[in-house]
Amino acid sequence: RMKLGAWLDTWLMTYCRSQKPLTIAAYAAIIRNHLKPALGAVQMDALHAHTIQQFYNSLSEPHGGRAALSAKTIKNVHGVLHKALQQAVKLGYLRNNPAEACELPRVVKREMQVLDDDSSRAFLRAVQGDPLARIFLVDLFTGLRQGELLGLTWDCIDFVAGTVTVKHQLQQAQTKGDFSYHLAPLKNDRPRTITPAAYVMQLFKSQRMY
């Protein structure tokens, strides 16, 4: 007869310890901002698929000054709730997972927008002389994600072969109001090697000399 809010807190603190700090922070935000306000007071044995489905449906509509959530965000909310309830099933707290039967809105992948030639030239003019110009230029010509770019270390750069190995990312963690940074595995835990243009490798060389 535990309430869902209490179980979510227990699940997050006890069963998510192996997750990356940013993942735990994302789970906590979803629990705090969406799950607890709507379902936190519901007893676990009274939580039914219909109740959860109505909750998901409400997230897709504007309410109380809050904008409707995207299908991707609702999927993330479902992912957290489903994992927490599945753990409760494993422990024998629930006979089955009521979130299993819910229908989610279809996620439509947006086409990636890339800079055309005019936009690229405008970008190059804008960053000229900026202290972080090398970072911006490397990003422009490689398309690395922010965490991947900031997580590059010199052992990732092979000046002889002209390659860059992306093997970790820089992440920010917050503990009791204090921020810290650390290198973490990639999202898919799969390092990859790219061969950027010679101009990019020259940017790395100039940065190392700097």
Side-chain angles (χ1 to χ4, degrees):
R1 303 184 68 83
M2 181 187 300
K3 292 184 178 180
L4 178 62
W7 168 243
L8 289 172
D9 289 338
T10 299
W11 171 75
L12 185 66
M13 292 185 295
T14 308
Y15 295 96
C16 295
R17 298 173 67 90
S18 63
Q19 299 290 339
K20 300 173 184 177
L22 279 185
T23 300
I24 295 176
Y27 287 177
I30 288 174
I31 291 171
R32 180 177 63 254
N33 296 330
H34 303 296
L35 293 174
K36 273 190 171 182
L39 302 174
V42 179
Q43 290 185 178
M44 297 273 283
D45 59 358
L47 189 63
H48 304 295
H50 183 64
T51 303
I52 299 174
Q53 186 67 61
Q54 288 183 318
F55 164 61
Y56 292 159
N57 294 346
S58 71
L59 295 179
S60 63
E61 302 172 355
H63 177 73
R66 172 187 60 77
L69 300 185
S70 67
K72 178 64 168 60
T73 302
I74 295 174
K75 183 179 179 181
N76 292 340
V77 172
H78 168 75
V80 172
L81 180 59
H82 186 277
K83 288 179 182 178
L85 294 179
Q86 195 60 35
Q87 186 65 51
V89 172
K90 291 179 180 179
L91 295 173
Y93 295 166
L94 293 174
R95 291 184 178 180
N96 53 62
N97 188 339
E100 194 75 43
C102 293
E103 296 292 331
L104 300 176
R106 186 167 65 92
V107 178
V108 179
K109 290 187 176 181
R110 293 181 296 179
E111 183 178 352
M112 182 179 294
Q113 300 295 319
V114 298
L115 298 180
D116 57 23
D117 291 343
D118 290 338
S119 298
S120 296
R121 284 191 287 268
F123 179 81
L124 291 172
R125 290 193 298 269
V127 303
Q128 189 174 7
D130 191 286
L132 300 178
R134 291 188 186 91
I135 293 179
F136 296 139
L137 294 175
V138 170
D139 198 24
L140 176 65
F141 290 108
T142 62
L144 293 177
R145 297 182 179 90
Q146 177 177 301
E148 296 173 343
L149 179 62
L150 298 178
L152 289 177
T153 50
W154 287 120
D155 62 305
C156 299
I157 315 298
D158 188 332
F159 289 107
V160 177
T163 59
V164 176
T165 300
V166 184
K167 57 184 180 182
H168 38 53
Q169 59 182 325
L170 186 70
Q171 288 190 350
Q172 181 189 75
Q174 183 178 8
T175 305
K176 296 181 179 179
D178 294 327
F179 290 95
S180 61
Y181 297 87
H182 64 280
L183 293 177
L186 299 176
K187 187 173 183 179
N188 56 10
D189 290 326
R190 295 180 182 177
R192 67 185 188 278
T193 299
I194 62 175
T195 305
Y199 172 70
V200 174
M201 298 306 296
Q202 188 58 46
L203 288 171
F204 284 122
K205 289 181 180 179
S206 63
Q207 177 64 26
R208 192 164 194 177
M209 295 172 61
Y210 179 75

